[in-house]
Structure formats: C-alpha cells, structure tokens
Amino acid sequence: MDKIWVQGIFEKLKTKLTAECERNKTNIPYIPVNGRYENMEKSEGIFWWTNGFWPGMLWQMYNATKDELFRKTAEYTEVQFDKALEGFEGLHHDVGFMWLHTSVANYRLTGNDDSRRRSLHASNLLAGRYNPAGKFIRAWNMDRTGWIIIDCMMNIPILYWASKETDDPRFKIVGMEHAYTTLNHLVRSDGSCNHIAVLSPITGDCLETPAGQGFASGSSWSRGQSWGLYGFALSYRHTNDVKFLDAAKRIAHYVIANFAQNDWLPIVDFRSPAEPVKYDSTAAMISACGLLEISNHVGEYEKKLYTNAALKLLTTVEKNFADWNIETDGIIGKGTGSYHGKPHDTEVPIIYADYFFTEAILRILEKDFLIW
Ligand code: GLY
C-alpha cells in the first residue's frame, strides 16, 4: 500500500470537503452544475436515493477528524429527512442508503436517541416490503410488485443493524432471505450479475431478467456488479454465512479481470460495444470499498489480491478523473447514472463516487467507521 499517497489524499479531502461544507451548509448535494451543487429542491427532491451520501461522507470525515463543521452539516440532512418519513409513500427499497448514512451513522457515533428512532422507523419500512412467498424485498413502487435489483444488497445492512439493536432476529432473517434470493436469481455462474429480475409475487418464480441501467438484458452493468460485490461481502460480515463471502469473491474475481482489461479505467458496462467508450467512476469506487471489505475476511496471501486491486482502482481514477480545485464542488468526475442516460448524469461528478472514494481512503488509513 502506498501510505504516503493515501495520507496525501486524506489531507486534500480535508481541505476540499471543508470548502464544500462552507458553501453547502443547508444543501443536499448530488451532481454539480457549472461546478457548484444545486439547491436540492432544484434537483431530485427529498426522496432521492443518493441524498444520504453527502452526510455519510461528512460523518466519515467527522469520525476521522472530529471537526464539528462536518458533524453539524451532516445533521442538517438527517433532520430534513423527517419530511420523507412523514410522506413515506415516496420511499422504497433505498431507505437503507438514506438512513444508514444519516441517523444510523449519527447514532453509532453519538448515541443520539432521535437518530435511533428514525433508524428503526426506516428499518421497519424496509422490512415491510418483504414478500414471504418469494422471499424477497421488492424494489421501487408502482406496479413493480415482483421486482428485485442487485443494488438492494446495499440496503439490507440496515436490517442487520436493526436486529442487533433490538435483539430481535426478524430483521436479519428478512435480510438474509432476500440475499439468498438475490444470489439465486441475479448472480450468474461466471460472477457477473443481472441488474433486475422480475419474480412472480405469488410464487417467487423468475419470469424475466430485463435490461436495467446497463447496456441491455444479459449485459454486465459495472455499478451493478459493484453493488453485488460489496453487498455480499457486507452480508457475510453481518451473518458469517460463507455462501455470501463466496459470492462476493466470485463477483470480485470477475470484476477485477474486467477492470484490468481496460487498464483499471472503469467503463459503464463490461458487455457493451467497444465504441463509444463511456466511463463510470462510481463502479470503481464502490468496488474498491468492497474489495477492501473482502480483504478483512481472507488470509494474508489472498489479502494482497484484493487490496492491490482496490489501490489500482483508487489511484487510476484519482489520477485521471479527480478535481481538487477548492472553488468547485465534486471531486471524482466521470460518474454515469446509466448506460443510455441523458447528458446531465453521464460522465459527471456524482456524490456517491466521492462518498465511496472517501470511505476507501479512510479504510486504508484505519480511520473509517462502519456505516453499513
Ligand atoms: N441504486 C441506483 C443506482 O445505482 O443507480
């Protein structure tokens, strides 16, 4: 590990994120427009799934530095989220992403009772989406009664947290059953993953695996692979079921081979046409965190494989796509929402690339805390 490089990045993160906080004390950042984050009302609104990443990144920085600016700015988003809990029909499976990074993080670091209450509320909303016939947590709303998506592997850690916190196994059982169903229907034998499976909400049979945010049905959306890699590693951490670690490793080996194929520059879909080349830095940053998580659960020799791959992704993306100018918002550029998306979320800085970059750097420095 190049500790000097990592330490240097930590210093840059402190400087840049302090400047961003000063400009965005009452904002919930997503994608900067002309170098500045927009007011949240102008972008995606309070129910938007990425709204937790800004406070999550600030809680990580608060834990590492004890700088009160980071804590106070993170608390602002958590209080705003009460409007989302009240109007809960706008919420869906992504309550994990939203409340793990706000109130669970706050509760873990400060023991705040309001944060605990909000976190349990969000956990109950997620558990309430469970379909016992098909053993899955349904994704999204409207008529998608039988949809599951690979992304949801990152939401179920709030259920593992809730079981531990309440000493009630129900939440963990729901999380584990959903993870087994995801393993059956979304992880392919070669380690690649479908984004979506449509299951019968009555029998749980798999009806189809349509295209999602990747190139096409049957392709290999790199962020989806990364959600699977990190999500299964986290399920192993919380349950000790080795099936989950094996799944995380299988996806990791597939992902490492594909990133290496393109000199560690992350493309949006590993099974898309060679041209045009479209990048998605978020996939690399999420994978780096997942690889570092796996490295905690293997022996010394294997550890090198995962930590070296994580460092390759971090250094390559930082060198090619990072913006350290403190006058502009956003650090890691070239994030992409979906393969066929519009220009506003294609190859742009997206808040969760910065979150996972920060988490990975702090993991290496052993200055992180478990948000998941
Ligand atoms: N969870 C939605 C996405 O990865 O875009």
Side-chain angles (χ1 to χ4, degrees), residues 71-87:
R71 180 178 68 79
K72 290 203 174 97
T73 314
E75 281 171 353
Y76 174 81
T77 309
E78 181 179 346
V79 173
Q80 300 312 301
F81 273 13
D82 284 352
K83 285 180 230 140
L85 280 178
E86 280 160 27

Side-chain angles (χ1 to χ4, degrees), residues 216-260:
S217 172
S219 74
S220 179
W221 175 46
S222 59
R223 189 162 68 252
Q225 325 302 291
S226 312
W227 292 140
L229 189 174
Y230 196 8
F232 279 107
L234 288 166
S235 271
Y236 174 70
R237 181 182 183 130
H238 290 291
T239 67
N240 279 322
D241 187 332
V242 79
K243 279 197 206 81
F244 297 146
L245 182 60
D246 286 347
K249 287 165 86 173
R250 181 148 48 104
I251 302 169
H253 302 159
Y254 168 85
V255 160
I256 289 171
N258 277 279
F259 281 136

Side-chain angles (χ1 to χ4, degrees), residues 5-14 16-17 20 53 56-57 60-61 101 230 281-290 292 310-324 330-333 350-365 368 372:
W5 179 81
V6 182
Q7 188 59 44
I9 295 292
F10 179 50
E11 296 306 319
K12 287 180 173 180
L13 281 172
K14 279 194 273 191
K16 176 119 184 183
L17 292 177
E20 287 190 2
F53 289 110
M57 180 165 64
Q60 288 287 5
M61 290 302 285
H101 287 250
Y230 196 8
S281 57
T282 70
M285 301 296 92
I286 299 159
S287 285
C289 289
L292 293 170
L311 202 59
K312 268 282 187 202
L313 288 170
L314 294 168
T315 52
T316 306
V317 167
E318 191 274 332
K319 185 168 160 225
N320 288 279
F321 302 153
D323 169 12
W324 292 112
I331 300 171
I332 302 296
I350 305 184
I351 189 67
Y352 46 98
D354 290 4
Y355 170 80
F356 286 100
F357 181 64
T358 304
E359 183 189 302
I361 294 298
L362 296 179
R363 270 178 176 266
I364 294 167
L365 291 172
D368 66 310
W372 305 102

Side-chain angles (χ1 to χ4, degrees), residues 49 94 97 151 213 221 223 227 337 352:
W49 74 278
D94 279 331
F97 278 127
D151 326 26
Q213 284 159 260
W221 175 46
R223 189 162 68 252
W227 292 140
Y352 46 98

